[in-house]
Amino acid sequence: MPAVTTKFTDQDQLDLKAFEINIRAQLEAGVHGIILGGTLGEASTLAEMEKRTLVRETVKLVKGRVPVIINIAEQSTKSAIEMARIAEEDGASGLMMLPPMRYKADDRETVAYFKKVARSTPLPIMIYNNPVDYGIEVTLDMFEDLLLSCENIQAVKESTRDISNINRIRNRFGERLAILCGVDTLALESLLIGADGWVAGLVCAFPAETVAIYELSQAGRIKEAIAIYRWFLPLLELDISTKLVQNIKLAEVATGIGTETVREPRLPLAGAEREKVLRIIDQALKTRPELPDYKQLGAALKD
């Protein structure tokens, strides 16, 4: 599932034409869902109406082929409940939820926040567990409380950077909680030890290669998946950076499915930093692997 970038015009408006080009490229590559308004989507800079527009436009584009998921990252429980209501109204298929923003809630407060939002909506929820970047960890004990109380909490975007946490979650909860890796540089390793999926970043620029790695790993064609993943690694490392948005948007330009425009205070990369990222992208394009017919693998697995 790509955590897609948000496209902007030079006048700082939503660029829906560029956005559509990228969404269509994702669908053509065979992604299994679209996630809007995450970190890569510059969620903290988006107005409510802009988020609504992105959901509505994406629902129109996907036409029911894959779920459309909107991230909820709010400062108050009241606001989060309202965003969940709006998401359902606009046709979203599910929610990805971060803990409360700005205020560093303790365990009790974080659980209460998730419970109140979950109980306010029929939409399925994926908890985004990223204590490295957001300062709050959703522990296994917290998940146990949530899963007992809220049937619609169904998945976790596992971004703790501790890959052994996948086995801890599986040992504790079995198949009750779907596990999606949220760190590009740990994706294949996570899939091979039992993660159910991958919320990806560089997929925004390289959708076919990303989906191919997933489908090959699920079909047991591990050596082929590893070969593509090794080629991909220098690009995937662009995702674990404070400039991940700028990095990935620059890669989208190189593959013809995006623009470099970001919303201030972010600025496009410049100088030596920009040249370094361009070299990584250029080398990847020069050595881009030929992909097997991975779409048939996905279809066969479904059958």
Side-chain angles (χ1 to χ4, degrees):
M1 293 187 180
V4 296
T5 57
T6 302
K7 310 299 187 291
F8 299 105
T9 67
D10 291 338
Q11 290 73 45
D12 198 30
Q13 303 297 313
L14 292 180
D15 187 341
L16 295 178
K17 289 183 179 179
F19 182 75
E20 179 177 347
I21 288 170
N22 193 274
I23 295 297
R24 292 197 182 281
Q26 303 298 327
L27 295 173
E28 173 60 27
V31 301
H32 304 113
I34 302 290
I35 298 176
L36 305 166
T39 308
L40 265 179
E42 298 175 69
S44 62
T45 72
L46 296 176
E48 179 185 307
M49 197 61 233
E50 290 176 321
K51 294 177 185 178
R52 299 196 72 167
T53 298
L54 290 173
V55 173
R56 291 169 178 174
E57 291 299 315
T58 306
V59 169
K60 288 179 188 176
L61 287 170
V62 306
K63 296 179 180 177
R65 284 177 284 178
V66 298
V68 175
I69 298 166
I70 180 72
N71 184 48
I72 291 185
E74 299 295 323
Q75 297 180 50
S76 72
T77 305
K78 180 180 179 180
S79 296
I81 290 171
E82 176 63 9
M83 291 306 298
R85 184 194 66 77
I86 287 171
E88 182 187 2
E89 184 177 293
D90 291 339
S93 314
L95 309 173
M96 182 169 77
M97 281 193 64
L98 279 161
M101 296 288 96
R102 295 196 182 179
Y103 173 66
K104 188 173 181 180
D106 64 21
D107 291 4
R108 181 174 65 92
E109 292 168 325
T110 302
V111 167
Y113 171 80
F114 284 134
K115 281 183 179 179
K116 285 194 174 181
V117 179
R119 289 168 177 167
S120 76
T121 179
L123 294 177
I125 292 172
M126 172 165 55
I127 301 294
Y128 184 2
N129 193 16
N130 187 349
V132 176
D133 292 326
Y134 293 104
I136 296 174
E137 180 173 4
V138 185
T139 66
L140 294 188
D141 287 345
M142 293 164 72
F143 269 118
E144 182 159 359
D145 190 350
L146 290 168
L147 297 182
L148 287 170
S149 305
C150 306
E151 290 186 6
N152 59 333
I153 294 180
Q154 296 179 3
V156 56
K157 180 182 176 184
E158 167 52 40
S159 298
T160 62
R161 312 309 200 258
D162 180 358
I163 196 168
S164 60
N165 212 36
I166 292 169
N167 284 329
R168 292 190 188 96
I169 293 170
R170 192 65 78 212
N171 286 342
R172 186 87 166 255
F173 305 117
E175 301 300 320
R176 168 65 178 83
L177 195 65
I179 304 167
L180 288 83
C181 176
V183 183
D184 272 1
T185 54
L186 297 175
L188 182 56
E189 295 90 337
S190 298
L191 291 168
L192 293 180
I193 65 167
D196 300 290
W198 177 5
V199 176
L202 264 297
V203 66
C204 295
F206 293 90
E209 289 83 357
T210 309
V211 180
I213 290 168
Y214 173 82
E215 299 292 6
L216 288 164
S217 72
Q218 299 306 290
R221 292 167 59 171
I222 308 305
K223 288 185 179 180
E224 293 170 272
I226 290 172
I228 301 168
Y229 191 60
R230 284 179 176 164
W231 161 83
F232 213 178
L233 185 61
L235 289 165
L236 297 178
E237 288 176 332
L238 298 176
D239 185 56
I240 50 172
S241 161
T242 55
K243 298 287 181 70
L244 77 163
V245 176
Q246 292 93 322
N247 292 344
I248 292 173
K249 283 194 167 183
L250 195 56
E252 287 180 329
V253 172
T255 56
I257 55 172
T259 70
E260 196 180 348
T261 311
V262 288
R263 174 164 279 176
E264 294 189 19
R266 286 185 177 88
L267 295 172
L269 299 177
E273 187 177 36
R274 179 186 179 85
E275 291 305 313
K276 180 181 178 181
V277 173
L278 284 173
R279 283 195 299 272
I280 292 169
I281 296 168
D282 184 58
Q283 178 62 24
L285 291 174
K286 287 177 180 177
T287 58
R288 201 170 186 174
E290 184 175 343
L291 301 177
D293 188 5
Y294 67 87
K295 293 182 187 177
Q296 293 301 317
L297 296 175
L301 287 171
K302 287 178 184 177
D303 292 341

